[in-house]
Amino acid sequence: MSLLIPRDSRVRSRIAIVRVDLHINRSFHYLVPEELREQVMAGTRVQISFGRRKVLGTVLEVSETLDGLEVAADALKPILEVVGASGLITPAVLQLAKWMADYYLCPLDLALKSVAPAVVQKKGKMRAVRSRRDPELEMAVTEASTLTSSEPPPLMAQQEAVLSRMFEWLDADSSQEKKPVLLHGITGSGKTEVYLQVIARALEQGKGAIMLVPEISLTPQTVERLRARFAPLDKPEPNAGTGSKPEGGILAVLHSGLSQGERFREWQRIREGKARLVVGARSAIFAPVMNLGVIVVDEEHEHSYKQEEHPRYHARDVAVMRGHFEKALVILGSATPALESYHNAIKGKYHLCRMPERVDGRHLPKIRIIDMRQETLRQKGFAIFSEPLKSGIQLRLERGEQVILYLNRRGYSSSMLCPKCGFVATCPHCSVSLSYHRQAGTLQCHFCGYAAKAFNVCPQAECRDPSIRFAGMGTEKLEEAVSRAFPTARVARMDSDTMTRRDAYERTLLRFRMGKIDILLGTQMIAKGLDFPRVTLVGIVFADLGLHFPDFRSGERTFQQIVQVAGRAGRGDVEGEVVVQTFTPQHPVMKHIRKQDYEGFYQEEIGFRSALQYPPCCRITKIECASEQSSRAQYVIQQLHKLLLQRLGPSIRVLGPSPSPIEKVRGRYRHHLILWDTRKKEHRGILQEIFASLPRDGEVKVFPDVDPIQML
Ligand SMILES: [Zn+2]
Ligand SMILES: [Zn+2]
């Protein structure tokens, strides 16, 4: 048997390079049988024999020659079968997976796993099981959608100006790469309308569009507007078959409530070009949209775009890369852009479009910063409501207007402690204190979900003191305080304890919209993109939460959260007011919050970042080791540290190794180190080599986190 056959051999064989689903950092060659020729292409999932096993894999490339030589076909094993519908990982998405493996320092098979939902990768036919819908909810949603117009509203001058630039970029030569756009528009400036019109134009041109939102379930109003606008384009398929109701249309909404079968079917509809507009959270960026015209990343500053499992990719950055590969226009939009994005815009890497005014000449709400130290003196003790907030709420109740109160901590109190012996209830699996949930009568860990019965007396055997106390306030306690201070008000609480059912959120929002709730209080669930014209007062109950974490982004995060929640006020005809209660009114962030001055905040913050060499002024990579034994995690990170210094040279800047600020999470101890300037090509090559050589199934897990968000 000869391995070489003449080039002019009449029977040309096709060879596929396949990455198998095993922890092997290599690809293998397989023969494409004649009958599978049409189906096997880059991105196709296949079954192959590997040793004595049958395994699944992803085709990376199909070619007729192998390194310039023709390989005798009979020397290769054939592909056994194509799995699932072919082409659900498009060539462009495959390219994206390769980029992710390279950039985020992860093995290619892991990157491939994140670009397609599990159901697309598996064998066997999926049954399309419909998820059941609640008739009452259906009614509520129908009712809500009648409030949403399908007609585009008249545009303001600032929207027209931005749109004309965006249309020009969208229409430009499709063989040319398009620079991403940062749309910095204040809250209520009409960004969504801009997205809708750019998307509509791309669809008219026969192109596809992807719109990312931070969380589908928390952005019902945005999704509803898309439905209302693009539903008229929905046409029943002409050959819908026998009796089955035609479904779908041009819009595919990828949400977590889809059953496996539904998800699979949505992917097929997208791949076939029946659905050309895809809306979804993070992973929707990998949807198999063909001929992609535009990608919109709404609320691009949101941290939920970052995946916190390996590969720790950031969907905003992946979106920018996908736009680069497919020459699509990428629009990043926010009222409070991430410093990284604004920095890119200032440097000219992105176009910058501004919308500094609210629609219909409405004003931004007035923000008052209240010094709670003074209030504590005045009210002779800790008070939940300052005088201005209390009288503000009273006034709104009298006028029949609505109030939003924001407190980003759930539960009743954040810790349970014994004043006699100093005992603090902590999680057995994490190094954090347990929060008390009064309604449930439990102590809960907000990191791992551990729950135990709350104590009546101190649990320490030698103490047993009954005066055990709760410290720190959560939304449950706030709700109690609101009901006591305003007994006639109709109050609703929105956090992950009260919103356990999928429809609870939509239902509460609907009641709020219909004026059946006076005061809505909650965690960040109420901070995102809600638009209720009758809300005229927003109270930030404790603005300092999160401001003093050992994380270089804590100021940025506080600024973003407060400005976003503040933006819920005054979206109707009556001007809005925001009361921010803080114990550190002198903090520089508070000054910019008061003026809602993003530009000023950016200038000051970028000064800090530059001085400390933190992103966006510098690129960093965090490397984390986790083990059930602290000493083992510590040992591995120290060895890794030595190896990194050896290989990368003394010029590389390293912080640590040290225990992570919250050392133990879910029973695993974490140690980390931070590397600077890891984007340099020679550095990345070495890091890839090191990570490829690490065993993946050891007890001590090692994760690289490129451009980390989570610093705790
Ligand atoms: Zn005690
Ligand atoms: Zn825990």
Side-chain angles (χ1 to χ4, degrees):
M1 185 181 76
S2 156
L3 268 176
L4 294 174
I5 52 172
R7 267 186 180 279
D8 58 343
S9 163
R10 269 190 294 148
V11 188
R12 284 220 159 179
S13 36
R14 229 170 237 229
I15 290 152
I17 301 178
V18 178
R19 178 59 66 120
V20 291
D21 288 7
L22 299 171
H23 295 179
I24 304 169
N25 259 328
R26 272 193 58 191
S27 305
F28 299 88
H29 297 93
Y30 284 87
L31 182 74
V32 183
E34 199 52 39
E35 66 274 17
L36 295 181
R37 259 181 178 237
E38 297 291 301
Q39 296 173 54
V40 175
M41 56 187 114
T44 304
R45 296 281 297 161
V46 292
Q47 189 181 48
I48 50 206
S49 49
F50 190 81
R52 288 184 184 174
R53 288 198 277 168
K54 283 182 180 175
V55 295
L56 298 181
T58 306
V59 176
L60 299 183
E61 236 181 282
V62 179
S63 63
E64 305 211 345
T65 52
L66 190 67
D67 296 324
L69 294 174
E70 296 274 339
V71 170
D74 54 1
L76 294 177
K77 289 183 190 167
I79 286 173
L80 300 175
E81 197 182 330
V82 166
V83 175
S86 71
L88 287 180
I89 299 175
T90 65
V93 172
L94 184 67
Q95 194 179 7
L96 209 53
K98 288 180 186 166
W99 171 79
M100 280 168 59
D102 178 59
Y103 186 82
Y104 292 106
L105 303 168
C106 79
L108 183 57
D109 60 292
L110 215 56
L112 284 168
K113 247 182 205 159
S114 5
V115 303
V119 55
V120 169
Q121 314 206 8
K122 279 199 208 109
K123 255 198 99 193
K125 282 221 164 75
M126 287 310 304
R127 274 185 309 135
V129 188
R130 294 280 305 154
S131 54
R132 275 208 321 218
R133 295 206 68 160
D134 171 346
E136 200 180 330
L137 174 67
E138 293 273 4
M139 249 173 60
V141 170
T142 315
E143 209 171 328
S145 55
T146 57
L147 301 168
T148 315
S149 165
S150 63
E151 286 298 306
L155 291 175
M156 286 169 72
Q158 66 176 10
Q159 288 170 311
E160 297 220 15
V162 162
L163 272 170
S164 79
R165 292 176 76 194
M166 289 191 181
F167 285 169
E168 198 182 304
W169 296 321
L170 184 71
D171 299 350
D173 183 359
S174 58
S175 65
Q176 295 286 313
E177 198 182 309
K178 295 178 170 64
K179 205 193 243 194
V181 187
L182 176 64
L183 175 57
H184 177 211
I186 62 166
T187 55
S189 60
K191 291 186 289 295
T192 308
E193 188 53 37
V194 169
Y195 306 148
L196 293 187
Q197 300 217 8
V198 177
I199 288 170
R201 193 175 179 101
L203 294 176
E204 274 162 27
Q205 293 171 349
K207 292 180 189 158
I210 297 176
M211 178 155 168
L212 297 186
V213 292
E215 261 174 274
I216 281 279
S217 61
L218 295 186
T219 43
Q221 288 183 323
T222 307
V223 176
E224 214 41 68
R225 274 180 75 179
L226 280 160
R227 278 212 180 101
R229 188 70 59 84
F230 296 103
L233 290 169
D234 284 9
K235 283 193 204 99
E237 292 158 25
N239 302 317
T242 49
S244 73
K245 191 173 145 236
E247 284 169 320
I250 203 161
L251 176 68
V253 181
L254 302 178
H255 58 85
S256 57
L258 291 179
S259 70
Q260 294 252 311
E262 284 171 319
R263 186 166 297 269
F264 185 72
R265 205 180 45 201
E266 286 304 273
W267 270 62
Q268 272 183 316
R269 289 204 315 119
I270 297 164
R271 182 61 175 85
E272 288 160 6
K274 288 176 185 150
R276 287 190 288 132
L277 166 56
V278 176
V279 186
R282 193 167 64 214
S283 62
I285 192 58
F286 305 116
V289 179
M290 303 300 283
N291 190 14
L292 187 62
V294 63
I295 306 174
V296 173
V297 184
D298 189 22
E299 308 292 354
E300 62 87 33
H301 64 279
E302 281 287 341
H303 291 172
S304 58
Y305 284 125
K306 172 91 173 172
Q307 168 153 296
E308 289 300 346
E309 290 151 41
H310 200 36
R312 298 186 176 189
Y313 70 85
H314 199 302
R316 176 192 63 220
D317 300 338
V318 174
V320 168
M321 281 319 287
R322 185 161 181 187
H324 165 78
F325 289 141
E326 299 192 54
K327 300 181 172 61
L329 184 66
V330 179
I331 301 172
L332 313 177
S334 176
T336 52
L339 244 64
E340 284 82 354
S341 302
Y342 204 73
H343 193 61
N344 278 333
I346 296 289
K347 285 195 310 188
K349 272 181 82 178
Y350 297 169
H351 292 293
L352 180 59
C353 289
R354 290 178 212 267
M355 297 208 292
E357 278 156 43
R358 278 195 156 180
V359 290
D360 300 334
R362 286 177 188 135
H363 296 291
L364 273 179
K366 289 213 167 51
I367 294 197
R368 295 173 68 186
I369 306 280
I370 306 298
D371 185 347
M372 290 306 277
R373 298 169 303 183
Q374 297 293 331
E375 283 292 321
T376 306
L377 284 177
R378 200 173 301 140
Q379 302 194 29
K380 299 190 173 61
F382 175 76
I384 293 176
F385 303 109
S386 59
E387 244 346 281
L389 182 56
K390 200 167 181 179
S391 56
I393 295 173
Q394 197 60 54
L395 180 70
R396 278 14 179 245
L397 291 175
E398 281 159 19
R399 293 207 301 225
E401 293 164 9
Q402 290 174 310
V403 177
I404 283 180
L405 295 178
Y406 175 72
L407 177 65
N408 200 16
R409 185 157 65 193
R410 61 196 180 88
Y412 189 81
S413 56
S414 55
S415 61
M416 192 173 206
L417 54 90
C418 173
K420 200 169 165 210
C421 74
F423 166 84
V424 178
T426 53
C427 176
H429 311 293
C430 311
S431 35
V432 295
S433 65
L434 293 170
S435 296
Y436 174 52
H437 289 243
R438 188 168 184 168
Q439 230 165 344
T442 54
L443 291 169
Q444 293 180 20
C445 172
H446 290 175
F447 272 79
C448 71
Y450 167 87
K453 218 170 163 296
F455 316 113
N456 297 319
V457 296
C458 176
Q460 299 291 83
E462 64 278 22
C463 177
R464 296 271 165 207
D465 197 85
S467 61
I468 189 143
R469 289 225 180 92
F470 309 111
M473 174 183 44
T475 43
E476 209 181 340
K477 189 168 181 177
L478 176 64
E479 183 184 26
E480 188 186 270
V482 170
S483 300
R484 199 180 302 140
F486 310 100
T488 58
R490 295 162 300 171
V491 181
R493 169 160 64 99
M494 208 175 239
D495 54 32
S496 51
D497 294 321
T498 55
M499 301 291 126
T500 47
R501 282 185 47 141
R502 213 175 102 202
D503 51 4
Y505 181 77
E506 286 172 61
R507 223 184 275 257
T508 307
L509 287 187
L510 187 73
R511 279 174 51 222
F512 193 52
R513 173 150 40 184
M514 288 162 68
K516 292 179 180 167
I517 296 168
D518 302 310
I519 303 175
L520 181 65
L521 65 95
T523 55
Q524 54 190 339
M525 259 189 193
I526 59 169
K528 289 188 176 98
L530 300 181
D531 192 349
F532 295 106
R534 285 166 60 193
V535 174
T536 56
L537 174 66
V538 165
I540 313 290
V541 178
F542 188 18
D544 310 58
L545 265 185
L547 189 54
H548 308 293
F549 280 132
D551 176 346
F552 68 91
R553 284 196 188 86
S554 61
E556 181 183 358
R557 203 166 303 181
T558 301
F559 180 86
Q560 287 166 340
Q561 278 180 1
I562 295 180
V563 170
Q564 290 286 348
V565 188
R568 306 307 117 213
R571 296 174 84 105
D573 298 329
V574 184
E575 221 163 292
E577 187 191 1
V578 180
V579 174
V580 177
Q581 303 191 143
T582 173
F583 284 91
T584 47
Q586 75 285 3
H587 194 289
V589 166
M590 293 300 163
K591 171 179 75 194
H592 303 300
I593 286 174
R594 192 171 59 77
K595 293 197 225 148
Q596 299 179 71
D597 175 14
Y598 179 83
E599 194 61 45
F601 166 75
Y602 172 82
Q603 291 304 341
E604 184 161 0
E605 185 72 15
I606 205 79
F608 293 138
R609 302 279 177 98
S610 163
L612 298 167
Q613 284 296 291
Y614 272 120
C617 303
C618 208
R619 299 265 177 170
I620 61 174
T621 294
K622 184 177 81 169
I623 297 174
E624 191 178 288
C625 290
S627 163
E628 282 172 16
Q629 285 173 48
S630 180
S631 57
R632 292 176 70 181
Q634 191 179 15
Y635 176 77
V636 172
I637 197 92
Q638 280 167 351
Q639 295 305 309
L640 204 54
H641 182 218
K642 264 190 224 159
L643 183 65
L644 288 166
L645 288 184
Q646 257 171 32
R647 298 290 313 273
L648 298 170
S651 66
I652 187 108
R653 194 176 147 211
V654 186
L655 185 72
S658 61
S660 304
I662 297 172
E663 188 184 348
K664 191 168 132 195
V665 171
R666 293 184 182 86
R668 302 180 72 81
Y669 293 86
R670 305 165 323 144
H671 288 250
H672 71 206
L673 58 81
I674 292 165
L675 295 171
W676 266 262
D677 260 342
T678 39
R679 279 208 80 196
K680 283 184 191 156
K681 243 201 160 120
E682 66 271 24
H683 284 170
R684 235 189 24 243
I686 292 169
L687 285 172
Q688 261 154 9
E689 242 178 74
I690 292 174
F691 280 105
S693 66
L694 290 173
R696 270 160 83 183
D697 33 20
E699 196 272 320
V700 183
K701 298 270 183 272
V702 184
F703 298 109
D705 188 352
V706 179
D707 306 331
I709 291 284
Q710 186 53 260
M711 303 305 291
L712 303 178

